[in-house]
Amino acid sequence: MLAIMLKIKCITNLHVGNGDVNYNIIDNEVEKDPVTCYPMINASGVKGAMREHFSKSRRLSSKDVDNIFGSESSGQTTSGKLKFLDADMLTIPMRASSGDSAYYLVSTNKALDRYVKYCKIFFGNDTMYLEQDEKIQGKSVEGVALAKKTLLLDEEIYLISDNEFKGIPLPVVARNKLENGISKNLWYEEIVPHESVFYFPVIAGDEDKELLEKFRNAVDSQVIQFGANASIGYGLCMVTVVEG
């Protein structure tokens, strides 16, 4: 089995909906992992966004696109040769309530440990993130003191506990439905803020090494749109291959 790891860095705000009907204050919530409750991008959404991007660009031939993502012709469906996993959250920015920055990239040990677990499973790599044991002095987000600092995927990440992380809500924006320029309905949508980071593995069989390498070269440093609201600039993300 072969695999590559891809990093998604949000350039603009992101909304990948969970498809549920809500009767809460928030009309549209983002998709979250059912176990950790952290924001995520479902594998089908990752694959769909990738396919749309490469179907429109010329970085891959139409044959390679069909081989990578699958095809449907004459009523027959062929599965893609590469397997896309869910994109898990690594870190999101939170507004600083004290410190020398407007915001800090925040995560938890649980989120970082999942990344390390993926590295062990798919790459046989026991690389751990760099962790500082000393307490961070004078820095906090949303009234929560930052504990430790780590460096992972070229991001300087500050850690808080899982309970503290879940206690800080994602940003919510008000959206307005207009008809002929007249406001008809105000509704609220949860977003994952820009600067957030996700990651996901792409897996191939040993016989598809060349195809995986083609995809790796084509996808590295590409700006790809994920999720909804593309017409207002949501979901633009930089996708890069994680080296090492």
Side-chain angles (χ1 to χ4, degrees):
M1 182 179 69
L2 305 170
I4 60 173
M5 185 78 81
L6 297 181
K7 170 185 170 182
I8 297 174
K9 180 73 176 271
C10 296
I11 300 172
T12 61
N13 295 334
L14 169 75
H15 178 83
V16 178
N18 59 13
D20 292 342
V21 176
N22 276 300
Y23 299 98
N24 301 323
I25 295 175
I26 302 173
D27 299 281
N28 291 341
E29 295 181 350
V30 302
E31 187 169 23
K32 298 182 177 71
D33 184 282
V35 176
T36 64
C37 294
Y38 297 162
M40 63 173 289
I41 308 173
N42 189 277
S44 61
V46 171
K47 183 178 179 180
M50 291 282 179
R51 174 161 201 142
E52 182 176 1
H53 175 79
F54 287 110
S55 294
K56 294 178 179 178
S57 72
R58 296 185 178 181
R59 296 183 65 85
L60 289 169
S61 69
S62 58
K63 181 180 178 180
D64 286 336
V65 169
D66 287 343
N67 283 335
I68 290 170
F69 300 102
S71 63
E72 184 174 345
S73 61
S74 303
Q76 287 190 322
T77 300
T78 303
S79 298
K81 295 181 179 180
L82 303 189
K83 310 303 177 186
F84 294 79
L85 274 63
D86 296 337
D88 289 315
M89 183 213 75
L90 178 69
T91 182
I92 64 173
M94 293 185 178
R95 291 177 298 180
S97 46
S98 62
D100 55 2
S101 178
Y103 68 90
Y104 295 100
L105 291 178
V106 178
S107 189
T108 68
N109 277 315
K110 182 180 291 185
L112 270 59
D113 287 345
R114 183 169 176 82
Y115 174 81
V116 172
K117 180 181 178 181
Y118 270 178
C119 288
K120 291 179 181 178
I121 292 173
F122 297 114
F123 308 105
N125 188 341
D126 205 22
T127 300
M128 298 294 288
Y129 45 87
L130 304 175
E131 186 173 320
Q132 295 182 357
D133 291 330
E134 68 269 18
K135 292 286 185 179
I136 303 297
Q137 298 295 325
K139 295 181 180 180
S140 63
V141 291
E142 306 286 350
V144 176
L146 297 173
K148 300 175 182 179
K149 183 173 67 173
T150 185
L151 182 66
L152 184 61
L153 303 189
D154 298 322
E155 303 289 348
E156 189 175 84
I157 301 169
Y158 291 85
L159 305 180
I160 59 178
S161 72
D162 188 60
N163 286 337
E164 289 171 332
F165 187 90
K166 291 178 180 178
I168 299 176
L170 289 171
V172 175
V173 297
R175 300 284 303 279
N176 202 356
K177 181 180 179 181
L178 300 176
E179 291 184 11
N180 297 321
I182 300 174
S183 175
K184 292 295 184 180
N185 184 33
L186 191 66
W187 50 283
Y188 298 90
E189 187 170 69
E190 193 175 44
I191 60 169
V192 175
H194 60 92
E195 302 301 321
S196 298
V197 177
F198 295 79
Y199 64 90
F200 66 98
V202 179
I203 305 169
D206 292 339
E207 68 279 8
D208 294 313
K209 180 178 180 180
E210 183 178 345
L211 187 63
L212 181 63
E213 188 64 21
K214 280 186 179 181
F215 175 73
R216 173 196 178 99
N217 293 333
V219 77
D220 194 27
S221 300
Q222 289 294 291
V223 176
I224 298 177
Q225 193 274 331
F226 295 87
N229 303 329
S231 62
I232 58 172
Y234 275 22
L236 293 176
C237 300
M238 174 65 73
V239 179
T240 52
V241 177
V242 178
E243 304 291 349

